[in-house]
Amino acid sequence: MSKRSIELIMSAVVVAAATLTAAAPANATSAGAPLTDVRVATHFDLSAGQMPENITLLSDGTAAVTFAASRQVAQVTPRGAVRVLATLPAPADGGVGTPVLGFPLVTGIVHTSDGTVYVLYATGTADLTGLWRLRSGQAPQRIAALPATGLPNGLALDEHSEQLYITDSVLGTVWTVPVTGGTPRAWSTAPELASAGFLGANGAKVHRGALWVTNLDQGTVLRIPLRPGNRAGTPQVKASGLAGIDDFAFTGRGDEILATLNAPNTVVRIRPDGTVTTVLNATDGLQNPTSVALRGNDVYVLSAAYTTATDPNLLRARLRGHR
């Protein structure tokens, strides 16, 4: 990827992100940080468009990540080696019509127990935007089309019902589709999902009978109950004041969350009562953190360097006193 292409991609997000850079949780504090052994484990290649957007941890100990700007899905070994698994096809117009951002990007990623990987792709074109499936030894296949006018972003899997949930950051919608693919159904269009000028509904996780969703513009964490018949309940705001919130993960302590705040360049811990503590910041190596994942005590944080333009990376840490 050319230097000029990288510059154009970064300029597409820097203006809107700048409005969030100074924003940080008003009640944030670094006291009692629960993370130890913090280190940058892997440095990615910015010149190649390796801006990591989302992560899922595979059963063999590797991490599968999406590289937004290079349209790639890659695997990162426990030793930090990077191997590209697939590159999604480029749109004929180069993706200039991709809503808000103006470049094609691979976003959310999950996997099922059989190793099948699912990713989201936003291009601004009807032939490519949607949900894609990756299986070993096979070419990537789009299994569900999504509106070209939207920006599919967060992807969550309900293993029990074998349903996928997709947040659209532009259309303010959560879509649902079976893991086998098909025509997505608008599961929720609640106003709490809407953007306020940049990007709305973002990260997504299924947890304890509900779909949890972040809203980047509104700075909120939402809990949307999963009702019988795969219906959406009424969204509940579980945390607020988190401008720039991107993706998140549950720590294993009830509803406690670790979340990335992209432009503010922090990772925060959100307790079930909504109180917020900053646990990582730029001094730890964060470069516009986009997503976080946990396996036991091990914490993985991706940074895309969208606006810092310095060092996209994978940071690793240990969660203190994890039960």
Side-chain angles (χ1 to χ4, degrees):
M1 180 171 285
S2 70
K3 180 180 179 181
R4 177 59 177 159
S5 296
I6 298 297
E7 290 173 347
L8 289 172
I9 288 169
M10 290 178 170
S11 67
V13 297
V14 70
V15 174
T19 64
L20 300 174
T21 301
N27 57 342
T29 172
S30 60
L35 301 183
T36 63
D37 302 326
V38 178
R39 74 273 189 202
V40 174
T42 305
H43 299 273
F44 300 115
D45 186 351
L46 182 64
S47 66
Q50 292 184 348
M51 300 172 177
E53 173 64 23
N54 207 236
I55 184 171
T56 187
L57 303 178
L58 305 180
S59 59
D60 63 0
T62 62
V65 304
T66 53
F67 288 143
S70 64
R71 315 186 319 275
Q72 292 177 328
V73 182
Q75 195 174 71
V76 184
T77 70
R79 293 182 176 272
V82 179
R83 181 172 69 93
V84 174
L85 300 176
T87 301
L88 297 191
D93 65 357
V96 295
T98 305
V100 179
L101 299 178
F103 68 95
L105 66 160
V106 186
T107 54
I109 185 170
V110 298
H111 75 283
T112 51
S113 57
D114 65 358
T116 302
V117 173
Y118 298 84
V119 298
L120 296 173
Y121 191 27
T123 68
T125 63
D127 61 325
L128 295 175
T129 300
L131 173 70
W132 290 68
R133 182 174 62 203
L134 281 68
R135 285 176 170 159
S136 179
Q138 299 181 18
Q141 178 185 11
R142 189 175 72 158
I143 62 170
L146 289 163
T149 54
L151 190 91
N153 197 337
L155 182 60
L157 168 67
D158 184 347
E159 294 186 80
H160 176 70
S161 66
E162 298 188 322
Q163 289 285 322
L164 294 162
Y165 296 90
I166 300 163
T167 62
D168 192 310
S169 298
V170 168
L171 299 180
T173 298
V174 175
W175 304 93
T176 185
V177 63
V179 294
T180 52
T183 302
R185 175 174 63 86
W187 186 75
S188 178
T189 56
E192 291 87 349
L193 302 169
S195 75
F198 184 42
L199 299 174
N202 200 310
K205 296 289 186 296
V206 173
H207 173 73
R208 291 189 171 188
L211 180 71
W212 295 61
V213 175
T214 61
N215 187 311
L216 185 141
D217 279 358
Q218 296 189 33
T220 53
V221 177
L222 307 171
R223 181 185 184 274
I224 309 175
L226 293 164
R227 298 301 189 202
N230 195 20
R231 294 179 295 108
T234 301
Q236 307 161 321
V237 177
K238 303 299 290 186
S240 59
L242 297 161
I245 190 169
D246 201 324
D247 198 27
F248 65 101
F250 290 93
T251 66
R253 299 164 173 162
D255 293 341
E256 184 182 78
I257 287 171
L258 291 180
T260 57
L261 275 58
N262 193 297
N265 221 20
T266 58
V267 170
V268 297
R269 175 174 59 176
I270 306 171
R271 295 188 182 276
D273 65 0
T275 58
V276 178
T277 304
T278 297
V279 296
L280 295 171
N281 58 34
T283 63
D284 297 298
L286 296 183
Q287 299 265 327
N288 304 132
T290 54
S291 54
V292 59
L294 286 90
R295 174 180 284 126
N297 293 33
D298 296 317
V299 179
Y300 300 70
V301 181
L302 291 180
S303 286
Y306 285 132
T307 62
T308 63
T310 305
D311 178 32
N313 63 55
L314 170 62
L315 180 150
R316 295 192 60 181
R318 298 278 290 177
L319 186 63
R320 189 197 306 271
H322 181 265
R323 296 189 298 274

